[in-house]
Amino acid sequence: MVAISGSPSPTSRTARVLANVTGALDAEIHTIAVRDLPADVLLGCDPSHPVILDIAERLQAADGVIVATPVYKAAYSGILKALLDLLPQYALAGKTVLPLATGGTVAHVLAIDYALRPVLTTMGATHVLPGYFVHDQLISDAPDGDIVIAEPARTLLDGVVAAFAAALTSKVTA
């Protein structure tokens, strides 16, 4: 499985939600923090760069992909777009994909369906699950350094993650 964090921030709630979600899954997961990729790779527009080829290989080998992004101006992050634009057109062919988003206003809740889902589908994803948007105000710090996601968002997110895990299980047994 591959998890992609599309946040440009080093103290990202998005990355922390993604880590929380991947920690709950019983799978080998390779996490890619787009913010940690070299800027010259993302801005150089070279899809044959070894970093991009490595990511494309990891995606090809994965059964499932989680894409997490903060929402800015009703769309997924520019840094995530930079990565997605460099990947092969059908980099997600045959994949089950779970889109996740965080943002500061409920006005951004539809960004998954109207901005991110079409791109994931165009990249060949076989099954893009209903994603989940977590409002920033529902995310707080836990004493152990993890995060706490307030109810009912926690239960709803857990349900989306369980559906993702079930979709992957049914794909493997099919």
Side-chain angles (χ1 to χ4, degrees):
M1 192 177 311
V2 172
I4 300 172
S5 173
S7 176
S9 170
T11 58
S12 167
R13 286 188 179 100
T14 303
R16 294 175 71 201
V17 168
L18 181 61
N20 186 271
V21 165
T22 58
L25 292 167
D26 184 26
E28 182 181 324
I29 302 170
H30 177 79
T31 300
I32 299 165
V34 182
R35 70 171 297 281
D36 292 337
L37 299 177
D40 63 313
V41 171
L42 292 173
L43 300 176
C45 299
D46 181 6
S48 64
H49 191 283
V51 170
I52 301 304
L53 294 175
D54 178 63
I55 293 169
E57 270 183 37
R58 289 179 187 277
L59 288 169
Q60 186 176 30
D63 291 318
V65 179
I66 303 171
V67 178
T69 182
V71 176
Y72 301 118
K73 300 185 188 224
Y76 55 94
S77 71
I79 196 168
L80 178 60
K81 179 167 179 20
L83 173 63
L84 296 177
D85 284 351
L86 290 171
L87 292 171
Q89 181 176 359
Y90 296 108
L92 299 176
K95 307 303 171 204
T96 298
V97 180
L98 174 61
L100 300 173
T102 61
T105 173
V106 293
H108 290 151
V109 75
L110 293 176
I112 290 175
D113 289 329
Y114 290 105
L116 188 55
R117 179 181 305 280
V119 173
L120 301 174
T121 302
T122 299
M123 293 180 75
T126 303
H127 187 192
V128 180
L129 279 89
Y132 194 71
F133 175 89
V134 182
H135 192 289
D136 285 348
Q137 290 181 348
L138 300 176
I139 305 167
S140 60
D141 295 324
D144 64 359
D146 198 2
I147 59 168
V148 174
I149 300 173
E151 290 296 344
R154 172 84 263 170
T155 299
L156 294 169
L157 178 60
D158 289 345
V160 169
V161 173
F164 177 65
L168 289 174
T169 301
S170 67
K171 183 178 180 179
V172 170
T173 59

